[in-house]
Amino acid sequence: MIGFTPDARQLEIKEKYRDFVNRWVIPNRLKYDQLAEFPWEIVKAAYNEGIMNGPMPSKFGGNDYSILDGALASEELGAGCIGIGISIDANTLALTPLYLAANDAQQKKFFGLINDQKAVAAYALTEPNAGSDVAGIKSSAIKHGDKYLLNGHKRYITNAEASSFITVFALTNPEKGARSLTAFVVPTDSPGIEIKPRLQKMGQKASVQNELIFHDVEIPEENRLGDEGTGFLIAMKTFDRTRTGVAALSVGNARAAYEIALKWAKNRIQFGAPITANQGVSFMLADMATEIEAARLLTWNAAWAYDNGLKVASKLSAMSKLFASDVGMKVTTDAVQVMGGEGYSTEFAVEKMMRDAKLCQIYEGTNQIQRLVISKSILK
Ligand SMILES: Cc1cc2nc3c(=O)[nH]c(=O)nc-3n(C[C@H](O)[C@H](O)[C@H](O)COP(=O)(O)OP(=O)(O)OC[C@H]3O[C@@H](n4cnc5c(N)ncnc54)[C@H](O)[C@@H]3O)c2cc1C
């Protein structure tokens, strides 16, 4: 029997996030879109109300959410503001390598630090010459006694300037290349870390990104996650867990834009009738509703497959991120079109939703890279 209805517990999760979004996110989204700074007040409130780190273990302050639970939560955050949503979800991204590979002592220490201080973490994989091509990473962490010395350059690191620690991927043996890629937990106040001014960008402005330069940063051996050389696998397994979150943020953002456009269109009179009397408009709305539904179901299916340990989960999560973020871009663009000049104005936030949607086609692996993952899986 196949079921598509969230159960009572999952409906409670949706309701809890929707309520948080109505009180904290929607009233502040345009402010942060203009300020373009980290939404500390909202993240603190999210900690106070159990909104942060949902898929992390409850014994370490999380909510034990499944990936499907997390997708339900992320859709609600995305319906409020993807920029604020990703400030919250990027924390989960940074903690996921710890969830996957840290020993108990490391989990206790770093999850403890995050929860006790209501702190934020960042995930640093991308470099100026290694974006889609993760195997091109050049940052190195060379062992000297019981420490590693980290040198290198990371780019576009979400939450970096706000973070207490950063999960950094670096080579322990540059001659071996990506086969020596290793994950480390690096406290952001470690001597030798240079945090560059934040990136100026098109959308998702409530989320901040920085370049990071590492100059002989000392990392104690006990901050290494897993064995040397397991970093590539950890990074890929992390994305298998988090891509459905990006898909769900896209679905939420598309839903919000569609709902605003639908309500507006029903009341907009031109040529003596609501504009929805024209098939040119009503069919656009029909397509938007259909695409959102399809994107949501694919996202739920991918998350469900992950939660049930199915082999197809990796391919499905790539499909969900690809499809839902493309739907997000199309639906928000159509929402602006349905609303004409009002859509293009900032008043209804629909133009912001369109700007925000674009980034979901780029981060956590561009949609071309998702197609690479999918095609490799179906051609092997
Ligand atoms: C706002 C923002 C936030 C980010 N947050 C983080 C973060 O927190 N941590 C982190 O580590 N990274 C982060 N990133 C980095 C992000 O994941 C990369 O930007 C993304 O993976 C693409 O890398 P790139 O920008 O170097 O583009 P490139 O890899 O240079 O790609 C450029 C274009 O070429 C295409 N392309 C490249 N290779 C192929 C191929 N083999 N086949 C087909 N097309 C290809 C790409 O799809 C793209 O269209 C963030 C980026 C942005 C913009």
Side-chain angles (χ1 to χ4, degrees), residues 19-39:
D19 174 56
F20 180 82
V21 162
N22 284 336
R23 285 182 293 111
W24 281 99
V25 180
I26 292 177
N28 288 307
R29 64 186 174 195
L30 290 180
K31 177 176 100 179
Y32 280 100
D33 188 49
Q34 283 175 0
L35 285 175
E37 62 185 39
F38 189 78

Side-chain angles (χ1 to χ4, degrees), residues 86 90 93 122-134 154-160 167 169 199 201 203-204 207-209 239 359 361-369 372:
I86 199 69
L93 172 70
Y123 176 92
L125 185 70
T126 305
E127 300 188 351
N129 293 314
S132 301
D133 183 11
V134 174
K154 296 287 178 183
R155 186 159 70 155
Y156 303 140
I157 306 308
T158 300
N159 288 356
T167 311
F169 292 82
L199 179 74
K201 61 190 196 297
Q204 298 194 23
S207 145
V208 297
Q209 285 74 29
F239 290 138
L359 188 51
Q361 296 177 307
I362 295 172
Y363 58 25
E364 292 204 29
T366 66
N367 281 1
Q368 286 72 30
I369 295 307
L372 211 67

Side-chain angles (χ1 to χ4, degrees), residues 135-152:
I137 283 179
K138 291 280 181 282
S139 289
S140 63
I142 307 296
K143 197 157 186 207
H144 293 267
D146 59 356
K147 292 189 177 70
Y148 290 86
L149 273 190
L150 173 67
N151 283 284

